[in-house]
Amino acid sequence: MNGQRMTLNNGAMAIEKPRLWTKQFITLSLASFLLFLNLQMLLASFSMHIKGNLNGGDLHVSLATSTFAITAIIARLLTVRWIKRWSKNIVLTTGLIVAVVSTALSALPESVTPLLLMRAVYGFGFGVGSTIIPTLVTQIIPPKRIGEGIGYFGLSTSLAMSIGPLTGLSIMNAWGFSTLASIGAGAVVCMFPMLFIAGVYKLHSNKANSLTELAGHPDTKQENNTTLDNTNSQQFVHTHGRKLRKSGMRKIMIFPIYFPAVLNVLLSVTYSGILSFIAVYGEQLNLSQVGLFFLFNALTILMVRPISGKVFDHKGPIIVLIPAAVFVIASMIILSYTTSMSMLIVSALLYGVGFGSIQPTLQAWMLRSASKEDYGTVNGLFYNSTDVGVSLGAIILGVIVTITSYEMMYRLSSLCMILFAIGVVIYAMKRKKE
C-alpha cells in the first residue's frame, strides 16, 4: 500500500508512516556526504593555497570557485544523455574516478592556470555524482514524507558544507595542501563501499544497462516496498530523456519549479562569499580560528534541518523561508562588522539557522511541484541553481573585494537575501489573493 504498513489496533486498522530510514537511504546519504566533503574540504582551502603558495589574487580565488561550478553545471545537463548512451553504473563510476584523480593531482600545479584547468576537470566528475545520487535518493523517499526526507538527506550536504571547510583548513595548516588533496581523494574512494552496500552496482542477468532495484520489486513482501527504481535503464532513459523533451519539460517549466531555483541562486551567492573569502578575511582580522565559523554553522544546521522539513510538510514553504531569510541577512551584517571570535560565532549560528532551513525547503518545494518521473530533472535544476549562485557570487563578490573591502562585500551580499525576502513576500501575497 504505497510503502505503508497496516496494523491491527484494538480492532481498528491503523496506518503506520511509510518507512524513511531504509538501508538504501542511509548508505546513499553517507555517499553523498563523502562526495560533498571532498568538495568542501578543498574549496575553502583554495583561497589560502592560491594566495599563499601560488601568489594569486582575489580574482584567482574567485575563478577557482566558479570554474568548477560552471563545468559541474554542464556535466549535469549532459548526464541524462550519457546515461542514455551508456549504463548508469558506468557514468557514475567514471564521474567518481574523474573526481578522485583530479583531486589527487590538484596539489601538483605550481601556478594558477593549470590549477584552474584541474578544477574544471573536477567539475565534470562532481557534476555527474551530484546528479545521479540525489536522484536515486528522492526515488526511495515516500511522497508523503518528501519534506522530511529531503531535510534529513540534505544533512549530508549541509554537514559537508559546514564540517568540510573547517576540516580542510585544519589539515592544510597542519600538514599542507598536498596532504589535504590526498585525503580529499580518499573521501571519494570511500564512496564505493557505500554504493555497493546500497546495491547500486548490483547487476541483473542480461541487463548490463540496469538501473538497480535497491529495495526490491513492488510485488515482493517487504516492510518497505518503495524502490529506488523499479525499471531498467531503458525506462529510466525514456523517463528522463525523450519523455522529458516531449512532455516533461513542458510540465516542469512552471513557476513553482523555477521560482525556488532563483531563490536558491540568491542564497548561494551569500554562501559563495563565505566559502571563498572567510579564510583570508579571518587572517585580515587576526582571527586564527576562523574555521570555527563552519563548526558552529554545522551545529545549528543539525538542529534546524529536520524541523524545517517537518514544518514544510505541514505548513508549506512560506512560513519557513521568510524568518530564515532574516537570519541570513542578520548573519551577513554581523559578519561584516566582526572584530572578535564571539561576533564570528554569532554570525555562524544565525547563518546556520537560515541556510539550514532554506535549502531543504526550496528543494522539497521544487520536488513537490513536480511529478515523480521528473525528479531527476528537478534535482539537476536545484543543484545547478546552487552552482550558478556559487559561481556568480565568486566572480561578482571577488570584483567587489578588489574594489572595496571584505567588510563591504559581506554587507552587499546581504542585499541578495533582501531580494530573496521581498520575492517570497510578493509570492505569498499573490497566493493569498488567489
Side-chain angles (χ1 to χ4, degrees), residues 162-177:
S162 302
I163 297 173
L166 174 62
T167 305
L169 290 171
S170 300
I171 293 172
M172 182 174 173
N173 289 332
W175 297 293
F177 189 78

PDB file of all heavy atoms in Angstrom, residues 162-177:
ATOM      1  N   SER A 162      29.542  22.408   6.132  1.00  0.00           N
ATOM      2  CA  SER A 162      29.920  23.041   7.389  1.00  0.00           C
ATOM      3  C   SER A 162      31.191  22.439   7.986  1.00  0.00           C
ATOM      4  O   SER A 162      32.074  23.156   8.447  1.00  0.00           O
ATOM      5  CB  SER A 162      28.764  22.915   8.392  1.00  0.00           C
ATOM      6  OG  SER A 162      27.592  23.491   7.875  1.00  0.00           O
ATOM      7  N   ILE A 163      31.289  21.111   7.977  1.00  0.00           N
ATOM      8  CA  ILE A 163      32.446  20.440   8.559  1.00  0.00           C
ATOM      9  C   ILE A 163      33.632  20.451   7.598  1.00  0.00           C
ATOM     10  O   ILE A 163      34.784  20.583   8.013  1.00  0.00           O
ATOM     11  CB  ILE A 163      32.083  18.992   8.942  1.00  0.00           C
ATOM     12  CG1 ILE A 163      31.009  18.992  10.020  1.00  0.00           C
ATOM     13  CG2 ILE A 163      33.314  18.220   9.409  1.00  0.00           C
ATOM     14  CD1 ILE A 163      30.467  17.614  10.331  1.00  0.00           C
ATOM     15  N   GLY A 164      33.347  20.327   6.302  1.00  0.00           N
ATOM     16  CA  GLY A 164      34.410  20.237   5.309  1.00  0.00           C
ATOM     17  C   GLY A 164      35.395  21.389   5.324  1.00  0.00           C
ATOM     18  O   GLY A 164      36.619  21.158   5.369  1.00  0.00           O
ATOM     19  N   PRO A 165      34.922  22.630   5.260  1.00  0.00           N
ATOM     20  CA  PRO A 165      35.879  23.748   5.261  1.00  0.00           C
ATOM     21  C   PRO A 165      36.754  23.781   6.507  1.00  0.00           C
ATOM     22  O   PRO A 165      37.964  24.021   6.414  1.00  0.00           O
ATOM     23  CB  PRO A 165      34.961  24.980   5.194  1.00  0.00           C
ATOM     24  CG  PRO A 165      33.729  24.483   4.514  1.00  0.00           C
ATOM     25  CD  PRO A 165      33.545  23.084   5.010  1.00  0.00           C
ATOM     26  N   LEU A 166      36.154  23.541   7.688  1.00  0.00           N
ATOM     27  CA  LEU A 166      36.939  23.535   8.923  1.00  0.00           C
ATOM     28  C   LEU A 166      37.971  22.416   8.890  1.00  0.00           C
ATOM     29  O   LEU A 166      39.140  22.624   9.239  1.00  0.00           O
ATOM     30  CB  LEU A 166      36.005  23.356  10.127  1.00  0.00           C
ATOM     31  CG  LEU A 166      36.685  23.177  11.493  1.00  0.00           C
ATOM     32  CD1 LEU A 166      37.512  24.405  11.848  1.00  0.00           C
ATOM     33  CD2 LEU A 166      35.638  22.892  12.572  1.00  0.00           C
ATOM     34  N   THR A 167      37.556  21.239   8.447  1.00  0.00           N
ATOM     35  CA  THR A 167      38.479  20.108   8.354  1.00  0.00           C
ATOM     36  C   THR A 167      39.604  20.392   7.360  1.00  0.00           C
ATOM     37  O   THR A 167      40.783  20.140   7.637  1.00  0.00           O
ATOM     38  CB  THR A 167      37.726  18.836   7.930  1.00  0.00           C
ATOM     39  OG1 THR A 167      36.650  18.595   8.834  1.00  0.00           O
ATOM     40  CG2 THR A 167      38.654  17.644   7.901  1.00  0.00           C
ATOM     41  N   GLY A 168      39.230  20.934   6.198  1.00  0.00           N
ATOM     42  CA  GLY A 168      40.222  21.235   5.183  1.00  0.00           C
ATOM     43  C   GLY A 168      41.238  22.267   5.633  1.00  0.00           C
ATOM     44  O   GLY A 168      42.453  22.093   5.428  1.00  0.00           O
ATOM     45  N   LEU A 169      40.763  23.329   6.252  1.00  0.00           N
ATOM     46  CA  LEU A 169      41.679  24.368   6.738  1.00  0.00           C
ATOM     47  C   LEU A 169      42.608  23.827   7.817  1.00  0.00           C
ATOM     48  O   LEU A 169      43.794  24.166   7.870  1.00  0.00           O
ATOM     49  CB  LEU A 169      40.872  25.557   7.271  1.00  0.00           C
ATOM     50  CG  LEU A 169      40.124  26.390   6.221  1.00  0.00           C
ATOM     51  CD1 LEU A 169      39.189  27.386   6.898  1.00  0.00           C
ATOM     52  CD2 LEU A 169      41.091  27.117   5.304  1.00  0.00           C
ATOM     53  N   SER A 170      42.074  22.970   8.698  1.00  0.00           N
ATOM     54  CA  SER A 170      42.893  22.404   9.771  1.00  0.00           C
ATOM     55  C   SER A 170      43.977  21.483   9.206  1.00  0.00           C
ATOM     56  O   SER A 170      45.139  21.532   9.632  1.00  0.00           O
ATOM     57  CB  SER A 170      42.011  21.628  10.755  1.00  0.00           C
ATOM     58  OG  SER A 170      41.044  22.481  11.340  1.00  0.00           O
ATOM     59  N   ILE A 171      43.593  20.633   8.244  1.00  0.00           N
ATOM     60  CA  ILE A 171      44.572  19.728   7.632  1.00  0.00           C
ATOM     61  C   ILE A 171      45.644  20.511   6.887  1.00  0.00           C
ATOM     62  O   ILE A 171      46.840  20.204   6.982  1.00  0.00           O
ATOM     63  CB  ILE A 171      43.859  18.750   6.670  1.00  0.00           C
ATOM     64  CG1 ILE A 171      42.957  17.803   7.455  1.00  0.00           C
ATOM     65  CG2 ILE A 171      44.879  17.956   5.846  1.00  0.00           C
ATOM     66  CD1 ILE A 171      42.075  16.929   6.582  1.00  0.00           C
ATOM     67  N   MET A 172      45.225  21.537   6.157  1.00  0.00           N
ATOM     68  CA  MET A 172      46.191  22.318   5.386  1.00  0.00           C
ATOM     69  C   MET A 172      47.168  23.049   6.305  1.00  0.00           C
ATOM     70  O   MET A 172      48.377  23.090   6.039  1.00  0.00           O
ATOM     71  CB  MET A 172      45.445  23.318   4.505  1.00  0.00           C
ATOM     72  CG  MET A 172      46.383  24.133   3.621  1.00  0.00           C
ATOM     73  SD  MET A 172      45.487  25.169   2.471  1.00  0.00           S
ATOM     74  CE  MET A 172      46.854  26.114   1.787  1.00  0.00           C
ATOM     75  N   ASN A 173      46.665  23.619   7.389  1.00  0.00           N
ATOM     76  CA  ASN A 173      47.546  24.333   8.318  1.00  0.00           C
ATOM     77  C   ASN A 173      48.525  23.386   8.999  1.00  0.00           C
ATOM     78  O   ASN A 173      49.658  23.759   9.304  1.00  0.00           O
ATOM     79  CB  ASN A 173      46.714  25.066   9.372  1.00  0.00           C
ATOM     80  CG  ASN A 173      45.979  26.262   8.799  1.00  0.00           C
ATOM     81  OD1 ASN A 173      46.431  26.871   7.825  1.00  0.00           O
ATOM     82  ND2 ASN A 173      44.838  26.608   9.365  1.00  0.00           N
ATOM     83  N   ALA A 174      48.086  22.148   9.244  1.00  0.00           N
ATOM     84  CA  ALA A 174      48.936  21.198   9.963  1.00  0.00           C
ATOM     85  C   ALA A 174      49.907  20.462   9.048  1.00  0.00           C
ATOM     86  O   ALA A 174      51.078  20.253   9.403  1.00  0.00           O
ATOM     87  CB  ALA A 174      48.062  20.194  10.719  1.00  0.00           C
ATOM     88  N   TRP A 175      49.428  20.029   7.866  1.00  0.00           N
ATOM     89  CA  TRP A 175      50.255  19.144   7.025  1.00  0.00           C
ATOM     90  C   TRP A 175      50.441  19.625   5.589  1.00  0.00           C
ATOM     91  O   TRP A 175      51.148  18.982   4.817  1.00  0.00           O
ATOM     92  CB  TRP A 175      49.643  17.742   7.007  1.00  0.00           C
ATOM     93  CG  TRP A 175      49.628  17.101   8.358  1.00  0.00           C
ATOM     94  CD1 TRP A 175      50.716  16.708   9.087  1.00  0.00           C
ATOM     95  CD2 TRP A 175      48.491  16.786   9.152  1.00  0.00           C
ATOM     96  NE1 TRP A 175      50.331  16.166  10.289  1.00  0.00           N
ATOM     97  CE2 TRP A 175      48.952  16.200  10.357  1.00  0.00           C
ATOM     98  CE3 TRP A 175      47.112  16.938   8.971  1.00  0.00           C
ATOM     99  CZ2 TRP A 175      48.088  15.776  11.362  1.00  0.00           C
ATOM    100  CZ3 TRP A 175      46.249  16.512   9.973  1.00  0.00           C
ATOM    101  CH2 TRP A 175      46.743  15.942  11.144  1.00  0.00           C
ATOM    102  N   GLY A 176      49.793  20.711   5.202  1.00  0.00           N
ATOM    103  CA  GLY A 176      49.993  21.240   3.862  1.00  0.00           C
ATOM    104  C   GLY A 176      48.910  20.815   2.881  1.00  0.00           C
ATOM    105  O   GLY A 176      48.102  19.924   3.141  1.00  0.00           O
ATOM    106  N   PHE A 177      48.920  21.465   1.724  1.00  0.00           N
ATOM    107  CA  PHE A 177      47.867  21.260   0.737  1.00  0.00           C
ATOM    108  C   PHE A 177      47.958  19.887   0.068  1.00  0.00           C
ATOM    109  O   PHE A 177      46.944  19.304  -0.302  1.00  0.00           O
ATOM    110  CB  PHE A 177      47.931  22.358  -0.332  1.00  0.00           C
ATOM    111  CG  PHE A 177      46.767  22.353  -1.277  1.00  0.00           C
ATOM    112  CD1 PHE A 177      45.542  22.884  -0.898  1.00  0.00           C
ATOM    113  CD2 PHE A 177      46.888  21.800  -2.543  1.00  0.00           C
ATOM    114  CE1 PHE A 177      44.461  22.864  -1.757  1.00  0.00           C
ATOM    115  CE2 PHE A 177      45.814  21.774  -3.421  1.00  0.00           C
ATOM    116  CZ  PHE A 177      44.592  22.316  -3.019  1.00  0.00           C
TER     117      PHE A 177
END
